[in-house]
Amino acid sequence: MTTDRLGALAAADQPLHALAERLLAVAEAGLPGMYLPGSDTFVFTRAGTAAPDGSWHLEQRGTSTRYAAITALGARFLPEDRQRTVLGGHTAEEFTGLLVQRLPAVRNLGDAALIAWAAAETGHPKLSDALERVAALDEPGRPQYTVEAAWVLSALAAARGTVDVESRLTAARDRLLRARIGNSPLFPHATGPGLVPWYRSHVACFADQTYPLQALARAHASGADPEALAASEACATRICALQGDGGQWWWHYDARRAGVVEGYPVYSVHQHAMAPTALFDLADAGGTDFAASIRSGLRWMTEVPELTRSAEAGAVPEPLILDELGVTWRKVYRGDPKKAVRAARGLTTRVVPAARLTPLDRVFRPASVDRECRPYEFGWMLFAWLGGAQR
């Protein structure tokens, strides 16, 4: 399995290339077990519980339309026979067709946008119908969550060569650019007031950065848009500057002042998939190549300094990649009750942006592992490492 992205990684760092190949194998091994053949969709999550003898029990929980669409977006890069293995016997186009058929019942804008994006990427004949459903859910002038607004733009950019979407694309692009606060290069959690309580309206998450920077880069790649590219570049530059010494992509940011509010949890999907796919798409669009930051983030998956520091002398830290189970554990977190550290820092930085409340770091060390794995994590992983210039 070789793509330009994997090839470049092999040239730069052979051990990391082996890690990426290993992770892709884990994704392909794990996704079939997350598929629910009776309903032709994917679970929301698989949760792992360790038995006294060291064996694991994986419990399937819930279902997710958006995770199914993201999985289709990534699986389409696999050879057809392997697409069918991952997608319950369907190709990515066939599986996307099942999702398109369900669109009349979809009420969430993000879910609809992801299905439309998959329809555009797989060349589905009912792409126009999918986009109409997105338009019906995207009420003009109504604030939206930034992640979902970004997925709308990515769907429209992907459809641009097939359907006339210019007016809608311009509106979606402008909405993201206007959402930024002052001169900050980072994006807030919502595109306008009303969706987030005032006391934490300045707090945005990592996904609020990667999806807009990806969407704006793709908008530029689909039709020259230097302003969109510059915004994507500025966001990427800032989150890479804030990246942790151990390669961590931090979780909560101050969208006003472009700093970190609270770093934890650190999510595996950010390290191996979401940061790479956004930064790769930026480079493909003609922006800066942040390959060194991508490699640093990927390296965290096996080094995990938080767990290494917390291990007792001579003990082996818990691994986040379990090849035999086909999972990567979801995150490393503090284990603080009711996410107390995030709440305290969110409230404090509203008034004092530079406040760190450092005693909290000593009391609630990030040494807990969330033993869950969700299908979208593998969908974006396939998208990140198998996509790119080969398209």
Side-chain angles (χ1 to χ4, degrees):
M1 178 186 303
T2 302
T3 67
D4 291 343
R5 293 171 177 181
L6 286 173
L9 182 61
D13 192 314
Q14 278 289 343
L16 279 183
H17 175 260
L19 174 58
E21 292 276 17
R22 177 189 174 194
L23 285 165
L24 289 167
V26 169
E28 283 197 63
L31 281 170
M34 299 180 182
Y35 189 83
L36 299 175
S39 53
D40 283 321
T41 191
F42 279 83
V43 300
F44 176 74
T45 193
R46 297 178 97 186
T49 304
D53 64 1
S55 63
W56 289 92
H57 169 69
L58 294 178
E59 178 189 355
Q60 314 274 49
R61 296 178 182 171
T63 62
S64 175
T65 297
R66 69 174 48 184
Y67 291 178
I70 293 169
T71 303
L73 278 166
R76 70 190 178 87
F77 292 112
L78 295 170
E80 183 175 311
D81 60 328
R82 286 154 62 188
Q83 290 181 31
R84 294 187 185 278
T85 299
V86 165
L87 298 172
H90 307 287
T91 66
E93 181 181 355
E94 292 166 352
F95 183 66
T96 298
L98 297 176
L99 297 176
V100 171
Q101 290 175 17
R102 298 170 192 162
L103 269 173
V106 171
R107 298 288 181 268
N108 180 271
L109 176 61
D111 293 5
L114 287 165
I115 293 172
W117 186 0
E121 297 284 8
T122 60
H124 195 274
K126 292 191 175 181
L127 170 60
S128 293
D129 293 346
L131 292 172
E132 286 307 313
R133 185 59 184 153
V134 173
L137 293 170
D138 195 4
E139 182 181 333
R142 178 183 176 185
Q144 301 290 351
Y145 289 108
T146 297
V147 164
E148 297 183 351
W151 288 339
V152 170
L153 180 56
S154 288
L156 293 168
R160 202 173 200 174
T162 306
V163 181
D164 181 6
V165 296
E166 292 308 309
S167 62
R168 285 182 282 178
L169 188 147
T170 298
R173 169 256 200 208
D174 290 349
R175 173 169 60 188
L176 282 179
L177 294 180
R178 287 196 304 266
R180 294 171 299 174
I181 303 170
N183 294 321
S184 173
L186 300 188
F187 294 85
H189 192 57
T191 62
L195 294 179
V196 181
W198 68 268
Y199 54 83
R200 68 181 311 275
S201 61
H202 65 297
V203 179
C205 67
F206 186 70
D208 295 325
Q209 314 313 318
T210 57
Y211 290 125
L213 83 83
Q214 177 184 36
L216 291 164
R218 286 177 158 260
H220 173 71
S222 68
D225 189 340
E227 186 180 1
L229 180 65
S232 176
E233 177 95 19
C235 179
T237 298
R238 187 56 184 157
I239 63 172
C240 288
L242 294 171
Q243 188 178 20
D245 292 340
Q248 300 94 335
W249 296 110
W250 301 125
W251 180 220
H252 276 153
Y253 299 84
D254 187 330
R256 305 164 305 177
R257 293 174 171 81
V260 175
V261 171
E262 162 61 0
Y264 293 93
V266 173
Y267 287 83
S268 294
V269 66
H270 297 168
Q271 305 295 134
H272 65 54
M274 281 171 54
T277 195
L279 296 175
F280 280 141
D281 280 354
L282 172 60
D284 284 354
T288 298
D289 184 353
F290 288 101
S293 296
I294 293 171
R295 292 195 298 271
S296 181
L298 183 63
R299 191 175 292 112
W300 180 89
M301 286 296 302
T302 52
E303 295 187 356
V304 199
E306 293 81 1
L307 301 183
T308 302
R309 286 195 297 266
S310 66
E312 296 178 0
V316 178
E318 179 177 357
L320 296 184
I321 308 170
L322 280 73
D323 306 68
E324 68 280 8
L325 297 182
V327 299
T328 55
W329 291 144
R330 181 163 169 75
K331 65 180 183 276
V332 171
Y333 65 107
R334 293 186 185 278
D336 46 328
K338 298 183 179 181
K339 304 174 183 177
V341 175
R342 277 185 277 176
R345 284 183 169 158
L347 286 169
T348 303
T349 55
R350 179 70 188 179
V351 180
V352 185
R356 294 301 306 142
L357 303 178
T358 51
L360 294 176
D361 291 325
R362 293 191 293 271
V363 176
F364 300 110
R365 296 185 181 277
S368 299
V369 175
D370 180 354
R371 299 175 186 87
E372 289 187 46
C373 185
R374 301 184 181 182
Y376 87 100
E377 303 173 17
F378 291 157
W380 283 137
M381 187 199 298
L382 296 172
F383 190 102
W385 295 99
L386 302 185
Q390 65 176 1
R391 289 172 297 181

